[in-house]
Amino acid sequence: MDFFETILWPLRWLVELVLAVWHQALTWLGMEPASGLTWVLSIIGLVIVVRSALIPVTVRQIKSQRRMMDLAPEMKKVQDKYKGKKDQFSREAMSRETMALYKRHGTNPFSSCLPILIQMPVFFSLFYVLRHASENKTGIGFMTKPLTQSFNEASIFGAPLKMNFTQGWESGNWTVVILLGVIVILMIASQFFTQLQIMSKNVSDETKNSPMYRQQRILLYIIPFAFLFSGVTFPLALNVYWFTSNIWTMGQQFIVIRNMPTPGSDAWRARQARLKAKGKLTDDEVRALDAQTPTKTEGQRNQPIGKKRAKKKGK
């Protein structure tokens, strides 16, 4: 047992417990124990348990991201104030003012990463559980010898769940290759769409003019392609977990943006317009909405014409 496996021992035990409970429940419902569908549904059940437990942390992340976006204009002012000043006193002063900004807004750059940082140990715990199962080794708790053998025999559409892209390619199992290829494409698309929802709909107009926003727009096109690594390296079962987690995130973001949008964003204006149509806004809220709603001018602006031209036009 290596160092990381030792550190993750408690989480591995919990992962095995959740998988075993879901697998047993599905077996009681009449599903085949060694069926790939049974194991896929057990892994989806694990996602539901993990992501449900992370809802309070995710809510904190969303609030932190919103505060980070809100303080972007103030952050720019601090950066402009000390622009070109590289002496020790200026750097320390800039650092103090930046930390004061974070404290005043009740956020920091790392809090928005908290859910993903918590999920990664669970992800790697599942990796170790499935790797041991694929090597026909019993687990440390609930992955008994019969369950391990059941996982080893499990396949969906002819693709063994324990196999990764490289193994599928080398063995000529094109079902594994195609399934993992499709899953990777869908993971990249779902991650891109999730980030795009935030960047295009849930960012205030003022924040869109900040350098931080432009940097995050660049990351929008880079981060999703990290899933290429997981698609090639990790087994099919682990990619099912990650893809299902991505779908959860996408749906969760849609609900959050629709019901708790950032003030001043397109999503906020859309929500306020819905509430206005239902008569659920106060007079002050209606005025605030009207002030932030761009007015549209219909038709083309009439150009002034001289007297001679007007006279000819009249004739």
Side-chain angles (χ1 to χ4, degrees), residues 157-186:
F157 306 122
L161 295 179
K162 64 180 181 180
M163 195 173 282
N164 62 27
F165 186 91
T166 306
Q167 292 169 338
W169 185 275
E170 290 175 350
S171 64
N173 192 323
W174 303 115
T175 308
V176 172
V177 173
I178 293 169
L179 270 179
L180 278 172
V182 170
I183 287 175
V184 168
I185 291 170
L186 291 175

mmCIF file of all heavy atoms in Angstrom, residues 157-186:
data_model
loop_
_atom_site.group_PDB
_atom_site.id
_atom_site.type_symbol
_atom_site.label_atom_id
_atom_site.label_comp_id
_atom_site.label_asym_id
_atom_site.label_seq_id
_atom_site.Cartn_x
_atom_site.Cartn_y
_atom_site.Cartn_z
ATOM 1 N N PHE A 157 -22.531 -2.922 -23.075
ATOM 2 C CA PHE A 157 -22.437 -2.957 -24.540
ATOM 3 C C PHE A 157 -21.164 -3.668 -25.002
ATOM 4 O O PHE A 157 -20.586 -3.327 -26.038
ATOM 5 C CB PHE A 157 -22.481 -1.543 -25.133
ATOM 6 C CG PHE A 157 -23.662 -0.723 -24.709
ATOM 7 C CD1 PHE A 157 -23.482 0.496 -24.078
ATOM 8 C CD2 PHE A 157 -24.958 -1.184 -24.932
ATOM 9 C CE1 PHE A 157 -24.578 1.253 -23.683
ATOM 10 C CE2 PHE A 157 -26.049 -0.431 -24.539
ATOM 11 C CZ PHE A 157 -25.862 0.785 -23.913
ATOM 12 N N GLY A 158 -20.695 -4.632 -24.186
ATOM 13 C CA GLY A 158 -19.488 -5.368 -24.548
ATOM 14 C C GLY A 158 -18.200 -4.689 -24.123
ATOM 15 O O GLY A 158 -17.100 -5.177 -24.437
ATOM 16 N N ALA A 159 -18.294 -3.568 -23.399
ATOM 17 C CA ALA A 159 -17.103 -2.836 -22.946
ATOM 18 C C ALA A 159 -16.900 -3.076 -21.447
ATOM 19 O O ALA A 159 -17.727 -2.651 -20.642
ATOM 20 C CB ALA A 159 -17.271 -1.341 -23.212
ATOM 21 N N PRO A 160 -15.818 -3.762 -21.059
ATOM 22 C CA PRO A 160 -15.548 -3.988 -19.629
ATOM 23 C C PRO A 160 -15.347 -2.668 -18.885
ATOM 24 O O PRO A 160 -14.609 -1.794 -19.351
ATOM 25 C CB PRO A 160 -14.256 -4.814 -19.645
ATOM 26 C CG PRO A 160 -14.193 -5.422 -21.000
ATOM 27 C CD PRO A 160 -14.825 -4.424 -21.920
ATOM 28 N N LEU A 161 -15.983 -2.534 -17.737
ATOM 29 C CA LEU A 161 -15.893 -1.295 -16.967
ATOM 30 C C LEU A 161 -14.497 -1.055 -16.403
ATOM 31 O O LEU A 161 -14.135 0.087 -16.114
ATOM 32 C CB LEU A 161 -16.908 -1.313 -15.817
ATOM 33 C CG LEU A 161 -18.388 -1.319 -16.205
ATOM 34 C CD1 LEU A 161 -19.251 -1.358 -14.950
ATOM 35 C CD2 LEU A 161 -18.745 -0.096 -17.039
ATOM 36 N N LYS A 162 -13.706 -2.115 -16.266
ATOM 37 C CA LYS A 162 -12.365 -1.972 -15.681
ATOM 38 C C LYS A 162 -11.323 -1.525 -16.707
ATOM 39 O O LYS A 162 -10.191 -1.226 -16.358
ATOM 40 C CB LYS A 162 -11.921 -3.297 -15.065
ATOM 41 C CG LYS A 162 -11.756 -4.420 -16.087
ATOM 42 C CD LYS A 162 -11.318 -5.704 -15.419
ATOM 43 C CE LYS A 162 -11.128 -6.826 -16.457
ATOM 44 N NZ LYS A 162 -10.694 -8.084 -15.814
ATOM 45 N N MET A 163 -11.693 -1.460 -17.970
ATOM 46 C CA MET A 163 -10.738 -1.189 -19.042
ATOM 47 C C MET A 163 -10.658 0.303 -19.349
ATOM 48 O O MET A 163 -11.667 1.002 -19.336
ATOM 49 C CB MET A 163 -11.149 -1.967 -20.299
ATOM 50 C CG MET A 163 -10.080 -2.060 -21.370
ATOM 51 S SD MET A 163 -10.588 -3.176 -22.733
ATOM 52 C CE MET A 163 -10.297 -4.773 -21.971
ATOM 53 N N ASN A 164 -9.432 0.808 -19.640
ATOM 54 C CA ASN A 164 -9.273 2.197 -20.050
ATOM 55 C C ASN A 164 -9.064 2.286 -21.567
ATOM 56 O O ASN A 164 -9.042 1.268 -22.260
ATOM 57 C CB ASN A 164 -8.127 2.882 -19.291
ATOM 58 C CG ASN A 164 -6.773 2.231 -19.544
ATOM 59 O OD1 ASN A 164 -6.545 1.621 -20.588
ATOM 60 N ND2 ASN A 164 -5.872 2.366 -18.595
ATOM 61 N N PHE A 165 -8.891 3.500 -22.056
ATOM 62 C CA PHE A 165 -8.790 3.733 -23.506
ATOM 63 C C PHE A 165 -7.589 3.000 -24.107
ATOM 64 O O PHE A 165 -7.712 2.341 -25.153
ATOM 65 C CB PHE A 165 -8.666 5.236 -23.770
ATOM 66 C CG PHE A 165 -8.699 5.616 -25.227
ATOM 67 C CD1 PHE A 165 -9.904 5.924 -25.852
ATOM 68 C CD2 PHE A 165 -7.533 5.663 -25.977
ATOM 69 C CE1 PHE A 165 -9.940 6.271 -27.196
ATOM 70 C CE2 PHE A 165 -7.556 6.015 -27.317
ATOM 71 C CZ PHE A 165 -8.760 6.319 -27.929
ATOM 72 N N THR A 166 -6.444 3.088 -23.438
ATOM 73 C CA THR A 166 -5.227 2.450 -23.956
ATOM 74 C C THR A 166 -5.380 0.948 -24.022
ATOM 75 O O THR A 166 -4.993 0.316 -25.028
ATOM 76 C CB THR A 166 -4.021 2.818 -23.061
ATOM 77 O OG1 THR A 166 -3.932 4.239 -22.944
ATOM 78 C CG2 THR A 166 -2.728 2.271 -23.640
ATOM 79 N N GLN A 167 -5.940 0.357 -22.960
ATOM 80 C CA GLN A 167 -6.155 -1.097 -22.950
ATOM 81 C C GLN A 167 -7.135 -1.518 -24.033
ATOM 82 O O GLN A 167 -6.951 -2.544 -24.686
ATOM 83 C CB GLN A 167 -6.663 -1.528 -21.567
ATOM 84 C CG GLN A 167 -5.634 -1.378 -20.461
ATOM 85 C CD GLN A 167 -6.232 -1.560 -19.080
ATOM 86 O OE1 GLN A 167 -7.447 -1.396 -18.880
ATOM 87 N NE2 GLN A 167 -5.411 -1.878 -18.106
ATOM 88 N N GLY A 168 -8.174 -0.706 -24.236
ATOM 89 C CA GLY A 168 -9.145 -1.014 -25.280
ATOM 90 C C GLY A 168 -8.517 -0.946 -26.665
ATOM 91 O O GLY A 168 -8.793 -1.783 -27.532
ATOM 92 N N TRP A 169 -7.661 0.057 -26.871
ATOM 93 C CA TRP A 169 -6.989 0.214 -28.168
ATOM 94 C C TRP A 169 -6.044 -0.950 -28.436
ATOM 95 O O TRP A 169 -6.005 -1.517 -29.533
ATOM 96 C CB TRP A 169 -6.218 1.533 -28.169
ATOM 97 C CG TRP A 169 -5.579 1.862 -29.495
ATOM 98 C CD1 TRP A 169 -4.371 1.430 -29.953
ATOM 99 C CD2 TRP A 169 -6.140 2.670 -30.533
ATOM 100 N NE1 TRP A 169 -4.126 1.924 -31.198
ATOM 101 C CE2 TRP A 169 -5.195 2.695 -31.585
ATOM 102 C CE3 TRP A 169 -7.323 3.395 -30.669
ATOM 103 C CZ2 TRP A 169 -5.405 3.406 -32.765
ATOM 104 C CZ3 TRP A 169 -7.533 4.107 -31.841
ATOM 105 C CH2 TRP A 169 -6.592 4.099 -32.880
ATOM 106 N N GLU A 170 -5.242 -1.309 -27.408
ATOM 107 C CA GLU A 170 -4.255 -2.380 -27.578
ATOM 108 C C GLU A 170 -4.898 -3.750 -27.758
ATOM 109 O O GLU A 170 -4.374 -4.603 -28.479
ATOM 110 C CB GLU A 170 -3.312 -2.407 -26.374
ATOM 111 C CG GLU A 170 -2.374 -1.203 -26.310
ATOM 112 C CD GLU A 170 -1.537 -1.170 -25.051
ATOM 113 O OE1 GLU A 170 -1.828 -1.992 -24.131
ATOM 114 O OE2 GLU A 170 -0.608 -0.337 -24.969
ATOM 115 N N SER A 171 -6.049 -3.958 -27.099
ATOM 116 C CA SER A 171 -6.729 -5.249 -27.204
ATOM 117 C C SER A 171 -7.701 -5.314 -28.381
ATOM 118 O O SER A 171 -8.285 -6.364 -28.650
ATOM 119 C CB SER A 171 -7.484 -5.553 -25.903
ATOM 120 O OG SER A 171 -8.512 -4.596 -25.694
ATOM 121 N N GLY A 172 -7.886 -4.197 -29.051
ATOM 122 C CA GLY A 172 -8.805 -4.170 -30.191
ATOM 123 C C GLY A 172 -10.269 -4.145 -29.792
ATOM 124 O O GLY A 172 -11.141 -4.462 -30.612
ATOM 125 N N ASN A 173 -10.546 -3.757 -28.536
ATOM 126 C CA ASN A 173 -11.943 -3.640 -28.088
ATOM 127 C C ASN A 173 -12.433 -2.241 -28.460
ATOM 128 O O ASN A 173 -12.328 -1.295 -27.684
ATOM 129 C CB ASN A 173 -12.046 -3.871 -26.573
ATOM 130 C CG ASN A 173 -13.489 -4.048 -26.114
ATOM 131 O OD1 ASN A 173 -14.394 -3.403 -26.631
ATOM 132 N ND2 ASN A 173 -13.696 -4.933 -25.151
ATOM 133 N N TRP A 174 -13.001 -2.115 -29.665
ATOM 134 C CA TRP A 174 -13.380 -0.807 -30.181
ATOM 135 C C TRP A 174 -14.612 -0.238 -29.484
ATOM 136 O O TRP A 174 -14.850 0.978 -29.532
ATOM 137 C CB TRP A 174 -13.604 -0.882 -31.687
ATOM 138 C CG TRP A 174 -12.390 -1.387 -32.390
ATOM 139 C CD1 TRP A 174 -12.258 -2.553 -33.079
ATOM 140 C CD2 TRP A 174 -11.096 -0.762 -32.433
ATOM 141 N NE1 TRP A 174 -10.980 -2.713 -33.553
ATOM 142 C CE2 TRP A 174 -10.243 -1.607 -33.173
ATOM 143 C CE3 TRP A 174 -10.575 0.420 -31.915
ATOM 144 C CZ2 TRP A 174 -8.907 -1.312 -33.406
ATOM 145 C CZ3 TRP A 174 -9.245 0.727 -32.134
ATOM 146 C CH2 TRP A 174 -8.425 -0.130 -32.881
ATOM 147 N N THR A 175 -15.365 -1.107 -28.794
ATOM 148 C CA THR A 175 -16.517 -0.605 -28.027
ATOM 149 C C THR A 175 -16.037 0.285 -26.880
ATOM 150 O O THR A 175 -16.604 1.343 -26.611
ATOM 151 C CB THR A 175 -17.349 -1.773 -27.467
ATOM 152 O OG1 THR A 175 -17.674 -2.671 -28.519
ATOM 153 C CG2 THR A 175 -18.621 -1.266 -26.828
ATOM 154 N N VAL A 176 -14.953 -0.148 -26.192
ATOM 155 C CA VAL A 176 -14.364 0.657 -25.119
ATOM 156 C C VAL A 176 -13.842 1.978 -25.675
ATOM 157 O O VAL A 176 -14.075 3.058 -25.109
ATOM 158 C CB VAL A 176 -13.213 -0.121 -24.428
ATOM 159 C CG1 VAL A 176 -12.472 0.787 -23.446
ATOM 160 C CG2 VAL A 176 -13.749 -1.339 -23.706
ATOM 161 N N VAL A 177 -13.134 1.892 -26.798
ATOM 162 C CA VAL A 177 -12.556 3.084 -27.426
ATOM 163 C C VAL A 177 -13.653 4.085 -27.798
ATOM 164 O O VAL A 177 -13.552 5.280 -27.519
ATOM 165 C CB VAL A 177 -11.731 2.700 -28.676
ATOM 166 C CG1 VAL A 177 -11.283 3.943 -29.432
ATOM 167 C CG2 VAL A 177 -10.527 1.852 -28.274
ATOM 168 N N ILE A 178 -14.721 3.583 -28.429
ATOM 169 C CA ILE A 178 -15.814 4.460 -28.873
ATOM 170 C C ILE A 178 -16.555 5.052 -27.673
ATOM 171 O O ILE A 178 -16.822 6.261 -27.629
ATOM 172 C CB ILE A 178 -16.787 3.692 -29.790
ATOM 173 C CG1 ILE A 178 -16.088 3.335 -31.110
ATOM 174 C CG2 ILE A 178 -18.037 4.523 -30.062
ATOM 175 C CD1 ILE A 178 -16.868 2.366 -31.973
ATOM 176 N N LEU A 179 -16.873 4.203 -26.681
ATOM 177 C CA LEU A 179 -17.598 4.684 -25.504
ATOM 178 C C LEU A 179 -16.806 5.764 -24.766
ATOM 179 O O LEU A 179 -17.349 6.813 -24.398
ATOM 180 C CB LEU A 179 -17.899 3.516 -24.555
ATOM 181 C CG LEU A 179 -19.212 2.771 -24.755
ATOM 182 C CD1 LEU A 179 -19.333 1.645 -23.746
ATOM 183 C CD2 LEU A 179 -20.409 3.706 -24.625
ATOM 184 N N LEU A 180 -15.504 5.497 -24.554
ATOM 185 C CA LEU A 180 -14.684 6.481 -23.849
ATOM 186 C C LEU A 180 -14.513 7.751 -24.681
ATOM 187 O O LEU A 180 -14.497 8.860 -24.133
ATOM 188 C CB LEU A 180 -13.316 5.885 -23.516
ATOM 189 C CG LEU A 180 -13.286 5.022 -22.249
ATOM 190 C CD1 LEU A 180 -11.947 4.322 -22.094
ATOM 191 C CD2 LEU A 180 -13.568 5.859 -21.009
ATOM 192 N N GLY A 181 -14.401 7.592 -26.005
ATOM 193 C CA GLY A 181 -14.312 8.762 -26.872
ATOM 194 C C GLY A 181 -15.548 9.633 -26.770
ATOM 195 O O GLY A 181 -15.461 10.862 -26.647
ATOM 196 N N VAL A 182 -16.722 8.999 -26.775
ATOM 197 C CA VAL A 182 -17.986 9.737 -26.670
ATOM 198 C C VAL A 182 -18.100 10.415 -25.309
ATOM 199 O O VAL A 182 -18.487 11.585 -25.206
ATOM 200 C CB VAL A 182 -19.188 8.786 -26.907
ATOM 201 C CG1 VAL A 182 -20.502 9.482 -26.559
ATOM 202 C CG2 VAL A 182 -19.214 8.306 -28.350
ATOM 203 N N ILE A 183 -17.736 9.671 -24.243
ATOM 204 C CA ILE A 183 -17.827 10.223 -22.885
ATOM 205 C C ILE A 183 -16.900 11.430 -22.726
ATOM 206 O O ILE A 183 -17.281 12.452 -22.135
ATOM 207 C CB ILE A 183 -17.504 9.141 -21.831
ATOM 208 C CG1 ILE A 183 -18.668 8.143 -21.736
ATOM 209 C CG2 ILE A 183 -17.248 9.767 -20.461
ATOM 210 C CD1 ILE A 183 -18.402 6.971 -20.822
ATOM 211 N N VAL A 184 -15.681 11.330 -23.260
ATOM 212 C CA VAL A 184 -14.733 12.445 -23.160
ATOM 213 C C VAL A 184 -15.264 13.678 -23.889
ATOM 214 O O VAL A 184 -15.200 14.803 -23.376
ATOM 215 C CB VAL A 184 -13.359 12.037 -23.727
ATOM 216 C CG1 VAL A 184 -12.462 13.262 -23.911
ATOM 217 C CG2 VAL A 184 -12.677 11.043 -22.800
ATOM 218 N N ILE A 185 -15.805 13.487 -25.083
ATOM 219 C CA ILE A 185 -16.378 14.606 -25.844
ATOM 220 C C ILE A 185 -17.524 15.250 -25.066
ATOM 221 O O ILE A 185 -17.626 16.478 -24.965
ATOM 222 C CB ILE A 185 -16.865 14.131 -27.232
ATOM 223 C CG1 ILE A 185 -15.661 13.758 -28.110
ATOM 224 C CG2 ILE A 185 -17.696 15.213 -27.920
ATOM 225 C CD1 ILE A 185 -16.029 13.067 -29.398
ATOM 226 N N LEU A 186 -18.390 14.412 -24.474
ATOM 227 C CA LEU A 186 -19.514 14.930 -23.699
ATOM 228 C C LEU A 186 -19.037 15.632 -22.427
ATOM 229 O O LEU A 186 -19.624 16.637 -22.007
ATOM 230 C CB LEU A 186 -20.481 13.794 -23.348
ATOM 231 C CG LEU A 186 -21.260 13.189 -24.518
ATOM 232 C CD1 LEU A 186 -22.081 11.995 -24.055
ATOM 233 C CD2 LEU A 186 -22.173 14.232 -25.163
#
